[in-house]
Amino acid sequence: MSDRAQSKPSPVSFSQAFRYWLKLGFISFGGPAGQIAIMHQDLVERKRWISEKRFLHALNYCMMLPGPEAQQLATYIGWMMHRTWGGVISGGLFVLPSLFILIALTWIYLAFGNVPLVAGLFYGIKPAVTAIVLFAAYRIGSRALKNAVLWTISFAAFVAIFAFGVPFPYIVLGAGIVGYLGGRIAPEKFSTGGHEDAGKGYGSALIDDATPTPPHARFRWSRFVLVLAVFLAVWGAALGALVALFGLESDLVQMGWFFTKAALFTFGGAYAVLPYVYQGAVEHYHWLTATQMIDGLALGETTPGPLIMVVAFVGFVGAWTKAALGPDALALAGCAGAAVATFFTFLPSFLFILLGGPLVESTHGNLGFTAPLTGITAAVVGVILNLAVFFAWHVFWPEGFSGQFEWFSVLVGLAAIIALWRHKGGMIPVILGCGASGLVYRLITG
């Protein structure tokens, strides 16, 4: 065994963790799959802050929650390492850089219309994002799919969502049931990721497979009640302040209530939330048009942070369009709308982790709990592969199969795959290189 595998990394201070989470907020491209891949590469493989088994256990829990699973995973790991404030900082910094970037880009979008510089960068970044998602499916699948049973679950999940359009929550539920039953019938098939993999893993981690649950992460009813009470007080105070300032029927108050419902009741990740947001924001409240919603999704896909950060775009455009602070303060209204949409969308994510994390930590050695999550992990690999196919279709045939085939996007995507797979390139250099190539190509071709 190597010295690296035998020695644990040095303890991580709060300031060190703060710097990493801030950096992650600026480099977390690629949607949830790409973001999870970045965290796995950094925190499991390189820094060894957490073992792969504990990482996947936390990820499985986040996959079952409504809201952005990658941001919730960052919150979970930050909370495990540095208590409540560690979770607040890690989850908050995962979102804040994206919020500021989207506010700036949305203001440019509304004030100046189509910007060739941004359009060219997006043209190159989209195939890179497709490659990153495909690479994430490979990386997670190569670690999680350890036998034919798990491969079958993954394949079935892909077929279900790709061919039959089965909603993601039903796939998660079905995979969890299969995992639960499989854990009772053939437990050896659903107990992967344990010590048998340690020899070919990444070495000892700060939070290792056998590391006892820290005191702050142990379940206590008094803490459960306190966390729930604080969340309700923060949510009520924020919404009450908006009502007091702008009135019950104002657009900012309606945004607060609408995005709270979106965060609490839409399971299945960003692509499950988007139809709900589209229906409410475009068809019911008329905060923006369908074309603007598509443009916002493109911005969300190609900026760091969770894909559901498109809600910041929706909030900005909605408050601007409705002149929520008057006709002379459109930009300020847009900033307020983006902040309100983001705050009420992500606040429940912190509740789910801080409230449910201790329950999850009490189960990481219990096959009765981990077997269903092993099944869910296998299904998620299939779902990520479907996301890669979805991206490829829209990037390579933006006007449908009857339209023009984007051969340059295919070349950029292949170059990104080669850089990631064969040359172990980092996510950010790949994204920047692809974005630059797209910009140059657009400038040359006009």
Side-chain angles (χ1 to χ4, degrees), residues 389-435:
V389 173
F390 175 86
F391 277 178
W393 175 33
H394 286 277
V395 170
F396 302 152
W397 288 276
E399 300 171 3
F401 287 125
S402 60
Q404 181 179 353
F405 178 68
E406 294 288 344
W407 62 267
F408 181 79
S409 294
V410 174
L411 293 178
V412 172
L414 287 174
I417 280 287
I418 292 171
L420 292 167
W421 200 329
R422 293 295 298 268
H423 301 291
K424 312 299 182 186
M427 300 283 182
I428 299 311
V430 169
I431 288 172
L432 291 177
C434 292

Side-chain angles (χ1 to χ4, degrees), residues 17 26 33 61 100 102 114 245 277-278 322 333 338 351 358 370 414 440:
F26 282 100
Y61 171 59
F100 292 130
L102 273 173
N114 186 33
L245 288 170
V277 172
Y278 177 91
K322 297 292 187 178
L351 172 71
T370 59
L414 287 174
V440 171

Side-chain angles (χ1 to χ4, degrees), residues 139-161:
R139 288 177 62 85
I140 297 174
S142 65
R143 304 290 298 181
L145 305 181
K146 295 296 185 182
N147 55 62
V149 173
L150 298 179
W151 272 100
T152 302
I153 293 173
S154 182
F155 178 74
F158 174 79
V159 172
I161 196 169

